[in-house]
Amino acid sequence: MAFECICRKILIFMCLLTVSIHAFELGTERTFSFVNDVNLYELKLSTSQAIGYRTSGEIKVSTIYEDNEHGFLLRFELLSPQLYMEKFKVQPMDYDEKSSILDKYKKSIFYAYWKAGIIEKSFIKNTKDSSLNNFLRSILSLFQYQLLDTKTTEKDISGTCQVKYVAKSSTKFLKIKSDCTAIEQHERLDQPLGNEVKLTRVTVIETSTLGEIETLHSSDHHQFYINAYKHVGYKVGSIFYLKSDGTIKDCEVIKADNLENAIKTLEGFIETSILPEINFDKSTDVTIVKQLKELKENLSNEKVGKETSALALLKLLQTGRQSKAEDLIRIVNARTTKEIKGQIMDLLAAIQTEESHEAFRSTMNFTNEEEFDNIERYLQSLSVGVLPRESVIKNIFEVLINDNIQNEKLKDTLVQTIASMCKKFTNLPNQSYDSEIVVKFKNFLLESIDSCTNNDCKEIYIRGLQNLQSPNIIDKLVMLALNEPYQISVAAMKALNQFPSTILQGDKKQFESIFYQQKKKFDTSARTIALDILLRLKPETKDIMNFVSYLKSNDPAYEVKQYLVQKLKMLAEKCERFKEILQMVLSSDRKVYNWNNFGALKGLSTALTRKFSQNPSFNGSLISVQEIKGGVLKRGNVDLLLEHEEEKFGIFTLGLFAGGLSSFVSSDEEEVDPDEDTTATAGMELAVQGNYLRPLVFFSGQAQLMGHVWSGTASEPTSAYQGITMLQDHKQVFALNNGAILDFSSLGAMSMDLNGKIEISLWYKNANIEVVQNMGLALLSTLSVKSPLISSKIELSITQEPQINLASKVDFSSKTAICMQLTQPNINLTQKINRYVDIPESKKVKALRQEVNLKYKIPGYTHVLNQKNNDMCNAITSE
Ligand SMILES: *[C@@H]1O[C@H](CO)[C@@H](O)[C@H](O)[C@H]1NC(C)=O
Ligand SMILES: *[C@@H]1O[C@H](CO)[C@@H](O)[C@H](O)[C@H]1NC(C)=O
Ligand SMILES: *[C@@H]1O[C@H](CO)[C@@H](O)[C@H](O)[C@H]1NC(C)=O
Ligand SMILES: *[C@@H]1O[C@H](CO)[C@@H](O)[C@H](O)[C@H]1NC(C)=O
Ligand SMILES: *[C@@H]1O[C@H](CO)[C@@H](O)[C@H](O)[C@H]1NC(C)=O
């Protein structure tokens, strides 16, 4: 067996030597026929509905020169190309017609210098038609092959690829290409908002015993899946089949004393790369100015929070990314966009080019107070984008340092935007947390914290660290959490909680020291956040035993204990293994707790997780965590998470905080901590796609509290956040094995309008809080394949308007009760699929236009929160 194997290898090796000599003997001419079948379809539609077409023809290859290194100059000529459609039965193109495309093809002569299986040089007519040139390059690429088991790097029409050759027999060889460079590619790394792309490129080459090509079967099979929607994706196949007709004729040769002189005789031909090229023809594109006229209505203020505005933004974005600053300036300055300035700011931010930033800078003035809302809207939307430009980060950083910004809110927002952008910047190719601009900004944050003279000032820069998430600042944050006053300690813990658990593992002891207050006292929020982190660090059985014995301790902070119980129960609900361990620990301690009375403790804090979206939409869950102190909310978060397999991505976080209110509300006897700040304060903290925004403070100080909220002025719903931000942002452009350019893009946007109202009555001793989160979601994805003869495209969109309503009734008349209700109304999810086929230069053939509409009804929910909440709701409503 082994002997046979070695023999085969030797045989193959000999073959290779003969290939270089005999495959293209000087003065010979060979003819190959070819067929190329292309199919593309959207997953939802069956293969029988694929857009399919075939091109066929002949290629004549003549060996016109041989140099003294056994390199050959080959002349290629393309003959009688044909195009067929509709399962290849119909031949729509009338090739007797004197159309321009026919002439173009008939004259398709091109040359290559071929040596030992590699196309070292190629020569084409100086035509500007990149589409035709790519087709010619694809033919040259077929003739690039090795007859050996080997791994190498090759350039061809697919890009620069890793290529593996496998000899199946002495005349049959496999060529497998992988990791090819794309013409253009960018993607979002957050997996739930990403795509799965599987590219397969395999060629089977069969040769004569002399190593001449007999048949060649090149097949590209590519699959594209959009992670958020299980049923959405595309498949594309292109099979290129080449067959020799077996005859060898004589041909004319070039007489020249070296290769250089031989090449000189090819008049009118220029040397070109075999890699694919594309030159964008923007002449026919609509301008953004014109497009905005059509979509203006769909971006009106009433449409924020609706799917139409999300979809309109995506449509404008595609044009916007190709637009010049002057056009973008025109749309900002247009009188007709005055009413929708906020949405225009979202658009500029989503475009994320240097041109769009220039449009912003030359129309907006940071010191103009009247424009503050719009400026902040731009900055907040900018922090979400996944393609931050270094020049834009630098520019905003300069504004922050040099422009002497007086407005504290603007300063805060600038810090948060730069931090978020720097974080995204580290994900770009060749960038990291060691990149110059990122290090510079990190140092700026650290210096600013040290030079602040008050805690509110420090908090701004600590939030900057929270958004930046540089692993180099963990130690600093831990120090702040351990040693600084409550306000700073809590801010540092919030920042730490943003980091992935792998990075926090090393500081487990410190978090235990905070939660158990081993060395000193901590704010209850610092403790509950430390607990959140400890529970993320995969607690072991002994950790769980420690938690349970803490519950029996004499710590008077019963809300912290309740919070712990709630979190343990939440984890047990989600994870069977955790539940087993917890039950085991509890049962070893039967006298104090068992599973059934676990949680029957004093305290109103809650923690729970519920599904808020599932098939046919994305998988999404909602996590609500409410830390209560003295009968009032101290720290509450509702997180919306998008899930894909094990990965989670927070698309929105609604946080509420309050402090110093207990004295107004409760007769509660919970221990008063003398270190705690008793200033009455309340506000909202929002994070859009993981980027924490400047907090919105409802009131700070007793005077504001009494004057503003308690008089009932906040009883009208007011908008807390409006904005349209990008979700999916993926583009990938490369050439198929036939030179056609495949362009896959998937863009998503979320249009959000969050509004709320608070009514507090001192007389009835109750409060009503309502928060309505309107979301319009849109996904716009296209897959197009363009070749010189035919261009095809599938475009699909998915739209929906999920809404979440949070209502909370608080009764603090006698014994405090809080009833929370979380509801989602019925919604429709709409999927539209459009299919287009165009035959660019023929007027005779009717192009295909097809639309498929699908609608899914998604029923609403009233989430069952927990038993304690139900009891309290019943208590409140029955009164
Ligand atoms: C959602 O979760 C279900 C159950 O785990 C899974 O079968 C499905 O593939 C998921 N859908 C998406 C879009 O990830
Ligand atoms: C604007 O939105 C409406 C639906 O609200 C839609 O019918 C219309 O096609 C949209 N306009 C454009 C130009 O997309
Ligand atoms: C910005 O506005 C301020 C006051 O509104 C004005 O003093 C300043 O000159 C303006 N700057 C620019 C660059 O337009
Ligand atoms: C990354 O760096 C390498 C080496 O410094 C360079 O060759 C390559 O072009 C860079 N890539 C990008 C995308 O900047
Ligand atoms: C969903 O679509 C149906 C018609 O197909 C319509 O009657 C219903 O009002 C829609 N629901 C929502 C919430 O838009």
Side-chain angles (χ1 to χ4, degrees):
M1 195 63 199
F3 175 71
E4 217 176 270
C5 207
I6 294 165
C7 264
R8 217 184 70 192
K9 288 248 162 81
I10 293 171
L11 227 162
I12 292 161
F13 185 59
M14 285 167 60
C15 274
L16 180 77
L17 293 179
T18 48
V19 169
S20 14
I21 301 162
H22 295 291
F24 298 107
E25 229 173 323
L26 182 65
T28 59
E29 180 179 288
R30 292 164 175 78
T31 305
F32 300 88
S33 58
F34 75 84
V35 174
N36 173 223
D37 289 345
V38 177
N39 277 295
L40 57 149
Y41 60 96
E42 202 273 332
L43 288 188
K44 200 74 202 166
L45 307 173
S46 66
T47 39
S48 62
Q49 287 168 294
I51 297 176
Y53 61 84
R54 162 176 290 183
T55 40
S56 69
E58 285 182 348
I59 303 159
K60 213 156 72 179
V61 186
S62 330
T63 313
I64 57 171
Y65 182 78
E66 178 177 2
D67 67 7
N68 47 24
E69 293 168 25
H70 299 307
F72 300 91
L73 194 59
L74 305 178
R75 177 187 189 274
F76 290 81
E77 188 174 355
L78 186 61
L79 304 166
S80 56
Q82 319 248 351
L83 174 68
Y84 306 82
M85 273 185 69
E86 284 179 37
K87 304 249 162 298
F88 319 134
K89 284 191 213 97
V90 184
Q91 183 187 343
M93 202 65 129
D94 178 359
Y95 281 97
D96 294 331
E97 181 189 8
K98 274 225 173 328
S99 69
S100 54
I101 190 157
L102 182 69
D103 288 346
K104 219 154 53 181
Y105 271 80
K106 269 205 166 154
K107 300 257 153 41
S108 289
I109 294 168
F110 47 110
Y111 296 88
Y113 175 65
W114 184 98
K115 193 172 141 191
I118 301 289
I119 304 282
E120 293 198 347
K121 294 173 195 291
S122 42
F123 307 89
I124 52 173
K125 270 263 164 63
N126 186 7
T127 146
K128 293 235 160 51
D129 185 345
S130 66
S131 177
L132 175 60
N133 291 345
N134 286 336
F135 181 56
L136 306 183
R137 290 181 176 111
S138 76
I139 292 171
L140 292 182
S141 300
L142 295 177
F143 286 90
Q144 182 159 274
Y145 60 96
Q146 300 293 320
L147 306 182
L148 259 184
D149 281 313
T150 181
K151 275 185 191 164
T152 166
T153 304
E154 280 182 12
K155 284 188 170 66
D156 73 3
I157 191 67
S158 307
T160 304
C161 308
Q162 300 307 313
V163 186
K164 185 176 161 194
Y165 287 94
V166 182
K168 288 302 206 186
S169 74
S170 61
T171 55
K172 189 171 176 183
F173 304 88
L174 272 186
K175 172 181 177 180
I176 301 154
K177 292 189 261 186
S178 59
D179 303 315
C180 299
T181 53
I183 298 173
E184 187 187 342
Q185 180 165 354
H186 72 251
E187 60 196 310
R188 190 160 182 160
L189 296 178
D190 311 295
Q191 208 202 66
L193 290 173
N195 300 277
E196 191 180 341
V197 177
K198 294 182 190 162
L199 308 178
T200 317
R201 299 170 168 111
V202 179
T203 305
V204 181
I205 305 155
E206 290 194 76
T207 67
S208 68
T209 46
L210 289 177
E212 293 177 87
I213 293 179
E214 282 183 347
T215 64
L216 192 148
H217 208 106
S218 161
S219 106
D220 273 19
H221 184 69
H222 305 315
Q223 302 173 63
F224 304 85
Y225 301 98
I226 292 166
N227 290 346
Y229 299 99
K230 202 174 166 11
H231 59 282
V232 180
Y234 311 93
K235 289 191 183 180
V236 179
S238 168
I239 292 171
F240 215 137
Y241 183 68
L242 192 73
K243 186 175 189 305
S244 161
D245 74 355
T247 61
I248 299 178
K249 292 192 187 127
D250 291 343
C251 72
E252 281 184 34
V253 299
I254 296 175
K255 298 242 162 20
D257 43 11
N258 59 31
L259 179 64
E260 206 179 314
N261 287 335
I263 290 168
K264 275 194 190 133
T265 65
L266 312 177
E267 259 174 66
F269 286 83
I270 52 160
E271 187 170 350
T272 176
S273 161
I274 196 173
L275 291 168
E277 66 172 16
I278 84 181
N279 45 29
F280 292 104
D281 177 17
K282 287 186 205 162
S283 55
T284 54
D285 281 352
V286 282
T287 67
I288 186 119
V289 180
K290 203 166 146 219
Q291 202 183 10
L292 185 63
K293 272 199 191 115
E294 286 161 21
L295 287 163
K296 206 183 69 199
E297 294 301 315
N298 291 12
L299 282 179
S300 68
N301 294 329
E302 306 78 65
K303 299 279 163 56
V304 177
K306 301 250 173 4
E307 60 192 31
T308 46
S309 60
L311 196 57
L313 183 102
L314 295 177
K315 287 179 178 169
L316 288 163
L317 178 81
Q318 291 175 315
T319 321
R321 284 193 170 158
Q322 319 285 339
S323 298
K324 292 255 178 299
E326 59 197 61
D327 279 344
L328 298 171
I329 292 171
R330 273 176 68 195
I331 65 169
V332 185
N333 285 335
R335 206 176 313 130
T336 50
T337 63
K338 213 170 163 187
E339 295 299 311
I340 56 168
K341 227 10 162 342
Q343 289 77 281
I344 300 293
M345 292 295 115
D346 288 337
L347 175 63
L348 289 186
I351 291 173
Q352 283 185 93
T353 58
E354 285 171 0
E355 307 270 342
S356 65
H357 187 63
E358 191 188 325
F360 168 79
R361 283 312 306 266
S362 55
T363 53
M364 293 284 165
N365 179 342
F366 277 101
T367 51
N368 184 350
E369 287 294 324
E370 279 171 30
E371 292 284 11
F372 170 72
D373 287 344
N374 291 326
I375 290 168
E376 184 165 63
R377 179 90 168 248
Y378 175 74
L379 293 171
Q380 290 181 343
S381 296
L382 200 57
S383 54
V384 176
V386 291
L387 296 169
R389 313 269 161 170
E390 188 166 9
S391 63
V392 176
I393 301 178
K394 282 186 171 152
N395 181 263
I396 303 176
F397 194 12
E398 271 161 26
V399 170
L400 175 64
I401 298 175
N402 300 331
D403 282 17
N404 190 22
I405 303 289
Q406 297 298 320
N407 182 333
E408 287 298 314
K409 292 177 181 170
L410 180 57
K411 200 189 272 178
D412 195 339
T413 295
L414 281 165
V415 169
Q416 307 321 325
T417 296
I418 302 168
S420 298
M421 288 180 85
C422 280
K423 172 173 183 256
K424 308 271 163 44
F425 185 70
T426 63
N427 287 333
L428 298 182
N430 282 1
Q431 304 300 340
S432 72
Y433 276 107
D434 295 327
S435 297
E436 193 190 336
I437 180 74
V438 182
V439 171
K440 213 169 140 196
F441 183 66
K442 182 200 74 182
N443 291 337
F444 166 80
L445 290 177
L446 294 175
E447 284 157 21
S448 301
I449 292 171
D450 290 338
S451 61
C452 276
T453 52
N454 64 57
N455 289 343
D456 289 345
C457 166
K458 285 187 185 177
E459 233 188 307
I460 293 178
Y461 300 101
I462 294 174
R463 192 175 305 108
L465 294 178
Q466 176 172 356
N467 281 320
L468 179 64
Q469 286 181 34
S470 164
N472 308 326
I473 53 175
I474 298 280
D475 292 347
K476 172 79 176 179
L477 287 171
V478 171
M479 287 287 290
L480 294 173
L482 286 171
N483 303 320
E484 293 290 312
Y486 281 10
Q487 184 185 351
I488 299 306
S489 167
V490 172
M493 286 306 296
K494 280 185 183 167
L496 284 165
N497 202 12
Q498 276 326 100
F499 285 86
S501 49
T502 46
I503 292 182
L504 298 173
Q505 195 74 45
D507 287 299
K508 186 171 172 183
K509 286 249 162 344
Q510 317 290 359
F511 300 127
E512 282 172 345
S513 147
I514 293 172
F515 175 66
Y516 293 115
Q517 306 195 100
Q518 285 162 348
K519 297 200 181 78
K520 64 187 262 271
K521 296 188 67 160
F522 286 92
D523 184 276
T524 52
S525 291
R527 298 181 65 195
T528 53
I529 298 169
L531 176 62
D532 291 341
I533 294 175
L534 290 171
L535 290 172
R536 277 205 288 137
L537 298 180
K538 300 223 164 64
E540 295 162 21
T541 308
K542 84 172 178 348
D543 299 317
I544 298 173
M545 286 164 73
N546 288 342
F547 287 139
V548 173
S549 42
Y550 162 72
L551 291 175
K552 293 184 292 180
S553 74
N554 57 5
D555 183 358
Y558 60 83
E559 285 291 359
V560 174
K561 289 182 178 170
Q562 179 63 263
Y563 188 93
L564 170 60
V565 167
Q566 292 280 323
K567 277 249 135 157
L568 291 175
K569 289 187 112 174
M570 181 176 118
L571 289 178
E573 255 174 59
K574 269 204 305 205
C575 172
E576 201 51 46
R577 177 86 193 113
F578 186 86
K579 186 173 177 176
E580 279 169 21
I581 298 174
L582 181 61
Q583 281 180 327
M584 192 190 76
V585 171
L586 289 175
S587 64
S588 67
D589 204 346
R590 194 177 303 274
K591 282 194 200 92
V592 186
Y593 297 111
N594 63 46
W595 184 248
N596 295 324
N597 68 14
F598 186 56
L601 269 174
K602 191 174 174 189
L604 300 171
S605 296
T606 58
L608 52 92
T609 172
R610 295 288 178 268
K611 266 197 181 323
F612 91 94
S613 173
Q614 55 195 313
N615 212 30
S617 187
F618 52 83
N619 282 338
S621 62
L622 173 157
I623 297 181
S624 160
V625 173
Q626 315 288 325
E627 180 197 338
I628 309 285
K629 181 138 201 280
V632 268
L633 181 77
K634 180 166 180 188
R635 180 177 69 92
N637 274 328
V638 178
D639 281 291
L640 296 183
L641 302 175
L642 231 124
E643 292 168 350
H644 180 255
E645 291 162 6
E646 295 303 305
E647 298 282 326
K648 291 184 173 50
F649 177 76
I651 53 171
F652 200 82
T653 301
L654 165 64
L656 290 165
F657 60 89
L661 293 181
S662 310
S663 56
F664 291 87
V665 169
S666 78
S667 48
D668 206 88
E669 70 289 354
E670 193 177 6
E671 188 197 33
V672 178
D673 185 339
D675 293 337
E676 193 168 352
D677 187 0
T678 51
T679 314
T681 169
M684 200 181 247
E685 246 177 359
L686 304 176
V688 182
Q689 301 188 34
N691 306 292
Y692 279 79
L693 310 182
R694 162 181 78 76
L696 302 162
V697 178
F698 300 154
F699 56 80
S700 177
Q702 250 74 335
Q704 269 188 16
L705 165 68
M706 299 309 277
H708 182 63
V709 180
W710 294 71
S711 65
T713 52
S715 60
E716 284 301 304
T718 47
S719 203
Y721 172 78
Q722 284 201 320
I724 313 173
T725 52
M726 294 288 291
L727 293 170
Q728 286 86 354
D729 195 347
H730 185 114
K731 187 168 178 73
Q732 197 161 354
V733 182
F734 59 87
L736 292 178
N737 60 355
N738 62 0
I741 299 294
L742 183 149
D743 185 333
F744 165 64
S745 94
S746 87
L747 299 170
M750 156 172 94
S751 179
M752 175 145 340
D753 173 48
L754 181 80
N755 60 63
K757 73 175 184 189
I758 307 175
E759 289 169 323
I760 302 180
S761 165
L762 269 182
W763 183 256
Y764 294 109
K765 286 204 169 258
N766 64 19
N768 288 326
I769 301 164
E770 275 173 41
V771 178
V772 179
Q773 182 160 355
N774 293 304
M775 272 189 287
L777 301 180
L779 174 86
L780 187 63
S781 172
T782 57
L783 182 100
S784 71
V785 173
K786 275 192 189 144
S787 72
L789 286 175
I790 184 166
S791 114
S792 48
K793 178 160 97 170
I794 304 176
E795 184 179 79
L796 71 87
S797 66
I798 293 183
T799 51
Q800 56 175 328
E801 291 177 352
Q803 195 191 74
I804 297 177
N805 301 318
L806 178 79
S808 166
K809 284 191 169 61
V810 185
D811 179 333
F812 44 89
S813 54
S814 48
K815 72 175 201 311
T816 308
I818 299 176
C819 159
M820 246 178 54
Q821 269 160 340
L822 205 52
T823 54
Q824 290 178 241
N826 296 338
I827 61 163
N828 293 325
L829 181 141
T830 311
Q831 181 173 356
K832 283 199 167 106
I833 305 170
N834 282 293
R835 310 190 318 146
Y836 309 90
V837 178
D838 281 312
I839 298 182
E841 304 199 32
S842 169
K843 291 180 188 73
K844 276 194 171 180
V845 184
K846 257 203 187 150
L848 171 78
R849 290 279 180 282
Q850 227 177 36
E851 181 168 328
V852 180
N853 283 313
L854 304 159
K855 198 172 211 168
Y856 306 89
K857 287 193 178 141
I858 300 180
Y861 295 102
T862 296
H863 293 287
V864 177
L865 296 185
N866 58 25
Q867 195 51 45
K868 175 172 255 149
N869 188 63
N870 287 356
D871 295 346
M872 288 193 283
C873 286
N874 291 338
I876 288 181
T877 44
S878 66
E879 265 169 28

